[in-house]
Every structure is written in C-alpha cells, then in structure tokens.
Amino acid sequence: MTQFILASFRLHGLLMAAGARLTHSVGLTSARWQVLSAVARSSEPKPVAWVARDMGLARQSVQRVVDDLEAAGLLSFEPNPRHKRATLMVITVQGQRAFEAMTGLQVPWINGLAEGTKVREIETALHVVQGLCQQLQENAPSAE
C-alpha cells in the first residue's frame, strides 16, 4: 500500500504538470481548470465550501482560485436561498466557453493516455482509489 500511495503522489505531480501544459493555451492553470470543471459539471450551483469538500481540498485554497476565476469573468455568484453568506457559484458564458475549449483539448489527451489500458483495469483502479478516499474521510488521523 505504501508503494501505491507513493506512486499516487508521483501521479499527482505528473498530472498537475501535464495539466499546466494543457491549460496554458486556454489561459488557465491546472487549479483553475479543476475548479471551473467542478462548477461546470455540477448538476446545481454550489457554494465554495461544498466544491472544496467534493475535491478534498481546503475551502480557503479553493476560494483563492474561485476569486481568480471571478476576476477573469469565468464564474459569478448568485444568492443562496439556504444561506445568506455562502453564495452559489455559477459558470458564466465566458467560463462555459473556456470549459468547452479545455474539454476539446482534454478528451483526445485522455484518450491517448488511456490507450492500451483495459476498461476493467481502469474500473478496478477507480474502485481502489474511491475506497481509499472513503477510508481517509472516515478515519482521518488526528492532528495530535
């Protein structure tokens, strides 16, 4: 399991570097693409804290990226009927165009990356990663 986790760290670094190269032509960063994608793929508008939780990240780090996306005109906010201060993120027309441009670049890239890998292998890897995520969420070590 330790080797799996170490390989996951390496994979994360390589994915972030590849994402930076891929997003550069659209004027995004990997972090902005991830957050924009989370908002674009969501079935409903969500507050920053919910998106951060879904991504497994701290709300403050996602908030910094959201602020950048708002300043770039890619996201906007609307009132949240359930909470006065936790506004809901909404993708703008410009944000939707950037998301679609990134999807156009990402799909052929990901298809090439998956070439030679069986669907069953991907499903098994996904199952393992999702199980580890659940374990970590439920049994996070204390900071003591």
Side-chain angles (χ1 to χ4, degrees):
M1 184 57 76
T2 298
Q3 292 303 314
F4 180 82
I5 298 299
L6 292 173
S8 297
F9 290 159
R10 178 157 168 72
L11 176 61
H12 177 263
L14 292 169
L15 284 171
M16 293 303 289
R21 290 189 301 272
L22 198 61
T23 59
H24 181 73
S25 66
V26 180
L28 294 172
T29 64
S30 287
R32 289 179 186 177
W33 175 29
Q34 288 176 45
V35 173
L36 186 65
S37 180
V39 174
R41 294 176 191 274
S42 179
S43 60
E44 63 182 348
K46 294 179 180 178
V48 173
W50 290 19
V51 171
R53 183 199 62 221
D54 292 348
M55 296 176 73
L57 299 171
R59 184 201 57 78
Q60 294 86 345
S61 62
V62 173
Q63 184 67 60
R64 282 191 290 276
V65 174
V66 166
D67 291 344
D68 292 343
L69 290 168
E70 181 189 28
L74 304 176
L75 289 182
S76 63
F77 294 94
E78 64 182 34
N80 183 344
R82 289 179 241 144
H83 195 285
K84 286 186 181 186
R85 289 184 28 201
T87 56
L88 303 172
M89 293 182 290
V90 180
I91 193 165
T92 64
V93 171
Q94 184 179 345
Q96 187 63 39
R97 274 191 240 124
F99 172 72
E100 289 169 5
M102 277 309 309
T103 301
L105 295 172
Q106 188 259 349
V107 168
W109 172 74
I110 203 72
N111 287 343
L113 193 59
E115 196 171 302
T117 307
K118 295 181 175 106
V119 172
R120 187 73 185 136
E121 293 170 330
I122 295 170
E123 291 170 345
T124 299
L126 177 61
H127 179 74
V128 170
V129 169
Q130 288 174 331
L132 286 171
C133 287
Q134 184 174 348
Q135 283 277 51
L136 288 167
Q137 284 177 320
E138 294 171 3
N139 303 303
S142 66
E144 297 172 359

